[in-house]
Amino acid sequence: MDHQWKPNDFSMPAAADLDPSNPEPRQRQEMEATDPIAARKVQKADREKLRRDKLNEQFVELGNTLDPDRPKNDKVTILVDTTQMLKDLTAEVNRLRAECPSLTEESRELTQEKNEL
C-alpha cells in the first residue's frame, strides 16, 4: 500500500492556539457568556492585535516601496528613510516651482523669435 505523505497530514496548531493566554474558541464563548468584562478585554486584545498586524504590514509595504533590497528593514530605519525621501521630494518640488516661471518666460521668448523668422 503506497501512501504518499502530504504536508497537511500532520497539521501543527497555530501559534495563537499554543498561547496559554489565548483561550480555545469554546472556552472563549463560555467565558464571554459568563463574564462580560473578560469578554470585552478579550475583544479589545483581539482588536489591538489586528491593529498591530495591519500596522506591521504597512511598515513592510513602505519599506519594500523605499528599497526592496534593503538589508535592514526595521521600523526606525523605514521612518528615517521615508522622512528623508519626503524632505528631498519637497525640496525638488520647490526647486521646480521656482524654475517654472523662468522656463515659461524663456519658452515664450523662443516662440516669439521663431515666429519672427
Side-chain angles (χ1 to χ4, degrees), residues 28-116:
R28 180 179 281 186
Q29 289 172 350
E30 291 171 2
M31 180 180 56
E32 289 173 356
T34 59
D35 189 357
I37 294 173
R40 275 188 260 137
K41 287 181 180 179
V42 168
Q43 290 170 352
K44 182 177 180 181
D46 289 344
R47 285 192 312 269
E48 180 61 23
K49 180 168 181 3
L50 288 173
R51 188 190 71 77
R52 282 192 316 271
D53 289 346
K54 185 175 180 180
L55 191 58
N56 288 333
E57 288 172 11
Q58 293 299 311
F59 267 107
V60 168
E61 185 176 339
L62 181 59
N64 289 336
T65 301
L66 290 172
D67 184 3
D69 300 324
R70 155 196 325 265
K72 190 173 180 186
N73 232 3
D74 62 285
K75 293 176 184 178
V76 172
T77 304
I78 291 170
L79 289 174
V80 167
D81 290 352
T82 301
T83 302
Q84 186 58 51
M85 181 177 279
L86 286 172
K87 287 178 181 178
D88 293 346
L89 289 171
T90 301
E92 180 72 8
V93 165
N94 290 336
R95 184 189 64 76
L96 291 170
R97 282 185 180 154
E99 189 179 357
C100 185
S102 64
L103 290 174
T104 302
E105 179 62 25
E106 185 179 338
S107 173
R108 188 185 61 73
E109 289 172 0
L110 289 172
T111 302
Q112 189 177 10
E113 277 182 34
K114 182 184 108 186
N115 288 339
E116 290 174 358

